[in-house]
Amino acid sequence: MLDYPSLAALAAVVREGGFERAAAVLGVTPSAVSQRVRGLEERLGAVLVMRGQPPVPTEAGAKLCAHAERVRLLEGELAAQLPGIAGRGERSESRVTLRIAVNADSLGSWFLPAAARFAERTGALLDLVLDDEEHTAGRLRSGEVLAAVTTDPAPVQGCRTVALGALRYAATASPDFVRRHFPRGVDAEAITRAPMLRFDRRDGLQARWAGEILGAAALDAPVHWVPSTQGFVDGALAGLGWGMNPLPLVADHLGSGRLVELVPERRLGVALHWQAARIGARLLDLLSGEVMAAARANLREGQAGAG
Amino acid sequence: MLDYPSLAALAAVVREGGFERAAAVLGVTPSAVSQRVRGLEERLGAVLVMRGQPPVPTEAGAKLCAHAERVRLLEGELAAQLPGIAGRGERSESRVTLRIAVNADSLGSWFLPAAARFAERTGALLDLVLDDEEHTAGRLRSGEVLAAVTTDPAPVQGCRTVALGALRYAATASPDFVRRHFPRGVDAEAITRAPMLRFDRRDGLQARWAGEILGAAALDAPVHWVPSTQGFVDGALAGLGWGMNPLPLVADHLGSGRLVELVPERRLGVALHWQAARIGARLLDLLSGEVMAAARANLREGQAGAG
């Protein structure tokens, strides 16, 4: 078997972002942590973590960390069945933490109640990281995350992919913004002059809406960049620009008239997927169940599309 | 003078995240963009951008981009005074974009209305990036951002630092969470067993509150990691954990009883600063004015502290 105390030290250094914090969590001295990691590196003949602020694992180090986290997950399940078996002392080590990637709009709208139900039921902890579509598959393959809520449907080796349904988006702005920028109505020409919000360079949702609903060609409008789900809602409310907002986040504002839809009820859907490692861990299955139940309640079935 | 068409090509590649998108924005072919960047590199004898998805500027490339963006800012002001001088064709180039770093909790609470007033008044566009305290000073020094709302008060060469006041935070949770995890009240012992929310590894606000208000030593409680300002509020509402939430975001929930304070009205303040490049640009001065006015309305004067 591998040298698990050393592996736990390596994983703690990476997870906590430093040797001193890892030592505090493990209840040992920083020099003990450092020795364990160095010993592991000498035996394997490879650097496992680049020393820096924060320490960054090498490719080999990341694989070992992922393995250590999976073993901890399985250990946690064993401890639930055989309570006497759990070690003492390493208190914050004794609760299992599942690292899950979640795309920003899901984290900002429907995901957290499901996470809370899972945590209450199981006592497990969650380490949520923002999904960055470009790296989701790699993170799942390397084991850096155990599962992901993502717009990326590409199957990942060793994972099960479940279609969750579509998150609906409405093109919204403040009534004052619409009066100022669309005095003669919202059409393919006016939309090229009104400032729009974009989340980041990969966010093509505003352009997709303008193309599908207004028939606008490649949208080249002035852009305010706002890298925050709630910031998109707040930016629309403040009259900074129009943007595609998740319907669950703006339904109340549309009802009260603080926001209006650029074209009433012409919305887009973005298909979401749950990708979860096939490792036969009961905790991960329970989380999958909560996520799928929340998806059924909050997302729309069927494919993504306009309508 | 420098070769500005080539400099504009370089800056567009970096800003838009690709040669093709840069070409679309500049209204030229991708091969023209590529030639301009390569020509600049040959004349300077240095690689300026690492070709990849997305292209990443080298240190020299980042300095040239920062210079190009500052020249564009000053050009935009000239164009406002001499309307005939602006070039034609490069439409989305003809509006000035200011890149500003904003810490997540400010972006999620008080910053956007100020941004919207500035944008409406000037027609300028904003490229907001999330402030990552560890890199703010470097970003300001290199010119990558023109200004920052940050918790980091360290003066940066070439920048003016203004104290904005303190954002107030309340320790909040759902009433049901408090019943489950603090049946005998909130004290230094119980707080070590209740799950808490943390934003990221640098987020020490929960531990600071437990230390200053409850007298708890180094807080080693179970953690759910939630890297989102609104996710913190939603996580507290859903009963996932307790966390330090910006008062402006939870005042309504506290009023309605959907959230409660762990200890009534024992809050913490986090001091915020506005760091802005001294480049004598009128647009940046106008933005500073709006930010300071919003800070006066939303933040508390004086130093950060408990109370």
Side-chain angles (χ1 to χ4, degrees), chain A residues 5-28 33 36-37 55 65 68-69 72 90 93 99, chain B residues 201:
Chain A
S6 298
L7 218 50
L10 173 69
V13 166
V14 170
R15 195 177 57 238
E16 303 297 324
F19 283 78
E20 303 223 335
R21 288 185 217 165
V25 166
L26 295 170
V28 300
V33 172
R36 289 184 196 177
V37 173
C65 289
E69 297 292 351
R72 286 204 333 114
E90 301 184 356
E93 286 287 286
R99 178 174 285 187
Chain B
R201 268 63 189 173

Side-chain angles (χ1 to χ4, degrees), chain A residues 15-16 21 53 91-92 95 99 107-108 112-113 115-116 119-120 124-128 130 134 180 192-193 201 220 222-225 227-228 230-231 234-235 238 240, chain B residues 15-16 21 53 91-92 95 99 107-108 112-113 115-116 119-120 124-128 130 134 180 192-193 201 220 222-225 227-228 230-231 234-235 238 240:
Chain A
R15 195 177 57 238
E16 303 297 324
R21 288 185 217 165
Q53 284 301 344
R91 197 164 47 75
S92 44
R95 285 177 82 151
R99 178 174 285 187
L107 185 61
L112 280 168
E120 189 183 340
L125 299 169
L126 291 168
D127 181 356
L128 304 178
L130 287 178
E134 289 185 25
R180 276 188 286 129
T192 64
R193 281 179 283 108
R201 267 63 187 172
D220 175 29
V223 175
H224 293 294
W225 301 93
S228 153
Q230 188 63 31
D234 295 342
L240 184 64
Chain B
R15 193 176 60 239
E16 302 298 325
R21 288 185 216 165
Q53 283 301 344
R91 197 163 47 76
S92 44
R95 287 175 83 150
R99 179 175 284 187
L107 185 60
L112 279 167
E120 188 183 340
L125 299 168
L126 292 168
D127 181 356
L128 304 178
L130 288 178
E134 290 185 22
R180 275 188 285 131
T192 64
R193 282 179 283 107
R201 268 63 189 173
D220 174 28
V223 175
H224 291 294
W225 302 93
S228 152
Q230 188 63 32
D234 295 342
L240 184 65

Side-chain angles (χ1 to χ4, degrees), chain B residues 171-296:
Chain B
T172 59
S174 70
D176 183 57
F177 181 91
V178 172
R179 269 192 297 276
R180 275 188 285 131
H181 292 278
F182 300 107
R184 280 185 295 272
V186 177
D187 58 31
E189 200 274 320
I191 202 80
T192 64
R193 282 179 283 107
M196 69 177 175
L197 307 179
R198 274 181 81 184
F199 191 93
D200 60 22
R201 268 63 189 173
R202 276 172 289 129
D203 172 16
L205 210 49
Q206 284 69 227
R208 195 185 130 199
W209 184 84
E212 291 185 22
I213 306 300
L214 303 180
L219 183 57
D220 174 28
V223 175
H224 291 294
W225 302 93
V226 181
S228 152
T229 296
Q230 188 63 32
F232 247 61
V233 179
D234 295 342
L237 286 167
L240 184 65
W242 72 274
M244 300 300 294
N245 277 309
L247 206 49
L249 289 188
V250 292
D252 286 353
H253 296 310
L254 291 172
S256 71
R258 294 182 66 202
L259 288 178
V260 293
E261 289 192 70
L262 296 194
V263 182
E265 302 195 19
R266 298 302 302 272
R267 296 158 187 168
L268 293 183
V270 170
L272 294 171
H273 307 271
W274 175 243
Q275 307 241 29
R278 293 180 200 272
I279 54 171
R282 195 185 57 94
L283 272 177
L284 190 52
D285 292 343
L286 290 172
L287 179 59
S288 294
E290 291 290 358
V291 168
M292 285 186 264
R296 275 192 299 275

